[in-house]
Amino acid sequence: QVQLVESGGGLVQAGGSLRLSCAGSGDTFSTHYMAWFRQAPGKEREFLAGVNWSGESTYYEDSAKGRFTISRDNAKNTVYLQMNNLKPEDTAVYYCAAGLDLGGLVSTTPEMYDAWGQGTQVTVSS
């Protein structure tokens, strides 16, 4: 099973940027569909963006479109989330997750992902 470790979170002012990284272990990383979720206090875990095994196909939830970019580097077993123009409502714990690549289908439900990182806190001040 893939093991995942996120990094890159922190405190940033509104309008700023952060780049999250998620390093995966295991030789099957490159075959997995990778996604970023976030969870704010008192709220459900929310899908943000996903990328297929090759990196050629991406999908974004409306809350991430235009401001967030997901990418992956299979040579480094790493997936990234570039976040620009951050807003206070982006404050949350951000998680990366690995799941089966469904060949063009995208799952936005956490239950479809079988490996998770420990999360990294992102705090956006106004």
Side-chain angles (χ1 to χ4, degrees), residues 7 12 14-15 22 32 36-38 40 43 47 51 54-55 60 66 76-77 83 87-88 90 96 101-102 113 118:
S7 62
V12 63
C22 172
H32 283 75
W36 285 96
F37 288 76
R38 69 184 178 189
K43 294 188 176 182
F47 175 92
V51 59
S54 68
Y60 296 92
K76 296 181 178 179
N77 275 11
M83 304 187 295
K87 305 174 182 180
D90 294 318
C96 66
D101 193 302
L102 302 176
Y113 293 83
Q118 82 289 352

Side-chain angles (χ1 to χ4, degrees), residues 11-112:
L11 174 64
V12 63
Q13 289 188 334
S17 298
L18 282 175
R19 187 195 196 199
L20 306 183
S21 299
C22 172
S25 64
D27 55 7
T28 62
F29 176 88
S30 62
T31 67
H32 283 75
Y33 190 89
M34 298 299 298
W36 285 96
F37 288 76
R38 69 184 178 189
Q39 189 166 19
K43 294 188 176 182
E44 294 185 350
R45 194 162 295 191
E46 173 191 19
F47 175 92
L48 293 172
V51 59
N52 77 328
W53 69 273
S54 68
E56 294 177 349
S57 178
T58 58
Y59 179 84
Y60 296 92
E61 198 57 73
D62 286 346
S63 55
K65 284 180 182 177
R67 298 189 299 127
F68 295 179
T69 302
I70 189 171
S71 62
R72 68 189 296 164
D73 184 341
N74 286 337
K76 296 181 178 179
N77 275 11
T78 303
V79 62
Y80 305 97
L81 186 69
Q82 177 67 42
M83 304 187 295
N84 298 327
N85 191 23
L86 285 162
K87 305 174 182 180
E89 51 264 42
D90 294 318
T91 295
V93 178
Y94 284 68
Y95 299 90
C96 66
L100 290 177
D101 193 302
L102 302 176
L105 299 177
V106 177
S107 176
T108 62
T109 57
E111 291 76 15
M112 293 299 291

